[in-house]
Amino acid sequence: MLGYIVHRQTSRLIVHPRPFYYGLGTLNRGFAASSLRLEPAKKTEEGPKTVKKAPKVKASDEQPKKSRSKASADDAADSKPKVSKRSPSKPKAEKKPKPKEVKPKKPAKLWTAPPKRPSMAFGYYLREHAAKQTEKGRPDFKEVHKAWNALSDAEKRPYYEEKERLAAEYPAKFEAWKANLPQGGYTQYRKHVLKKFRERRVPGAPLNAYMQFAMDIEANHPDKLPPAAEGADKREVVKARKVALGAMWNEMSLGQKAPYVAKYEELRNEYQKKKLAILEAKAKDKSP
């Protein structure tokens, strides 16, 4: 059985070679199935509908034409340079990069530890007995000192001889050490020693009551001291004055010494405050 379909736009009858029921299911693009009467559909006089396109409008037609005078005035205005109302900004100065701080390098160490100076005779006795007491435990230095004082001169003599022997050998050892140092090594060593001494020392320690008395006598009462003979040795003159000042101090009573003691106490309290402040500052500098 053949199928008949009618085109929508042309209204023409089209005979489909396949069965009718199959054609209805597949031919659905722009077609519509007709009835089974086999009558051709009536043609309409209108014909295929066409969509009229709107005419394109030119840009020249949209804008009204300007007169020549106005156009020339507008062109002249556009050609003039535009002046901004804002105040001219100052040119920014270029930031120069800061030079990096170059820390000076520490000079290389040019010296080695010098030979040790000889100690006192008691130092050798202390080492000997401290080495014996370390076997039992920690050495008691007070007992060692008492034992040293209880020794006779004959028993102390070997330790004094040891001290004298090492003291005689020390200058030769020191000169040999100094000669082996490179150029500038000894100067660097001396600076190191002075630096350590200044770090440990707190300046401004007050003089005791006797020194306050001696300074007062020399400044205000020099006539109480023995006069210096012409051509006399300065050491002998200083020695004679020290003896005279010591005798005068010993003859004074506690009431006469009280002003000098009070002055010393006042200076010592000020010194203690300064010392404490310096030590606290050093501790802060060393702390990380």
Side-chain angles (χ1 to χ4, degrees):
M1 181 177 178
L2 299 176
Y4 300 91
I5 56 176
V6 179
H7 197 275
R8 280 183 177 178
Q9 295 180 358
T10 60
S11 301
R12 291 180 182 181
L13 182 67
I14 300 172
V15 179
H16 200 274
R18 293 188 181 186
F20 179 70
Y21 63 88
Y22 185 77
L24 282 176
T26 57
L27 299 176
N28 54 3
R29 294 182 180 179
F31 298 96
S34 65
S35 62
L36 299 176
R37 292 182 181 179
L38 303 177
E39 293 179 358
K42 293 180 180 181
K43 295 182 180 180
T44 57
E45 296 178 358
E46 296 177 0
K49 296 180 180 180
T50 57
V51 179
K52 292 183 179 181
K53 295 182 180 180
K56 294 182 180 181
V57 180
K58 296 182 180 180
S60 60
D61 298 338
E62 292 180 359
Q63 298 176 357
K65 294 182 178 180
K66 296 181 180 180
S67 61
R68 292 184 179 180
S69 60
K70 290 183 178 180
S72 60
D74 293 343
D75 295 340
D78 294 339
S79 63
K80 290 181 181 180
K82 295 181 180 180
V83 180
S84 60
K85 296 180 180 180
R86 296 180 182 179
S87 59
S89 59
K90 296 181 181 179
K92 294 182 180 180
E94 296 181 359
K95 293 183 179 180
K96 295 182 180 180
K98 294 182 179 179
K100 295 182 179 179
E101 295 181 358
V102 179
K103 295 182 178 180
K105 294 182 179 180
K106 293 182 178 180
K109 189 177 179 181
L110 303 176
W111 54 273
T112 56
K116 293 184 178 180
R117 292 176 177 272
S119 62
M120 298 183 295
F122 173 71
Y124 301 109
Y125 177 80
L126 178 63
R127 292 174 192 172
E128 181 181 340
H129 286 264
K132 294 179 182 179
Q133 290 185 4
T134 49
E135 298 176 359
K136 301 178 182 179
R138 187 176 179 181
D140 190 355
F141 295 103
K142 290 183 178 179
E143 292 183 2
V144 176
H145 197 270
K146 288 179 181 178
W148 170 259
N149 291 334
L151 294 176
S152 62
D153 294 341
E155 292 173 336
K156 293 179 180 179
R157 188 62 192 168
Y159 303 103
Y160 281 105
E161 289 177 355
E162 181 69 12
K163 175 199 170 183
E164 291 173 0
R165 182 183 67 81
L166 294 174
E169 295 177 357
Y170 176 75
K173 291 181 180 179
F174 185 81
E175 290 298 330
W177 167 81
K178 186 177 177 181
N180 292 329
L181 291 177
Q183 187 177 4
Y186 184 69
T187 304
Q188 193 182 67
Y189 165 73
R190 290 296 302 165
K191 289 181 179 179
H192 170 75
V193 172
L194 289 173
K195 182 181 177 182
K196 291 294 182 183
F197 174 75
R198 288 167 184 166
E199 288 178 356
R200 295 174 184 174
R201 179 177 174 269
V202 179
L207 300 175
N208 57 14
Y210 168 73
M211 293 303 298
Q212 298 293 335
F213 162 75
M215 291 170 61
D216 183 30
I217 294 298
E218 289 181 354
N220 300 324
H221 307 284
D223 53 336
K224 294 183 179 181
L225 298 174
E230 294 182 3
D233 189 5
K234 291 184 179 180
R235 295 181 181 178
E236 295 295 332
V237 174
V238 172
K239 186 177 179 180
R241 290 189 174 184
K242 286 183 178 180
V243 171
L245 288 170
M248 292 168 63
W249 177 257
N250 293 332
E251 292 175 359
M252 292 172 63
S253 63
L254 294 176
Q256 293 173 339
K257 293 179 182 180
Y260 303 106
V261 175
K263 187 175 182 180
Y264 166 70
E265 293 291 340
E266 182 183 355
L267 294 174
R268 188 180 66 175
N269 293 336
E270 294 178 0
Y271 168 74
Q272 292 294 341
K273 292 178 182 179
K274 290 180 181 179
K275 182 179 179 180
L276 183 62
I278 292 171
L279 293 176
E280 289 177 354
K282 287 182 179 180
K284 288 180 180 179
D285 294 339
K286 290 181 181 180
S287 61

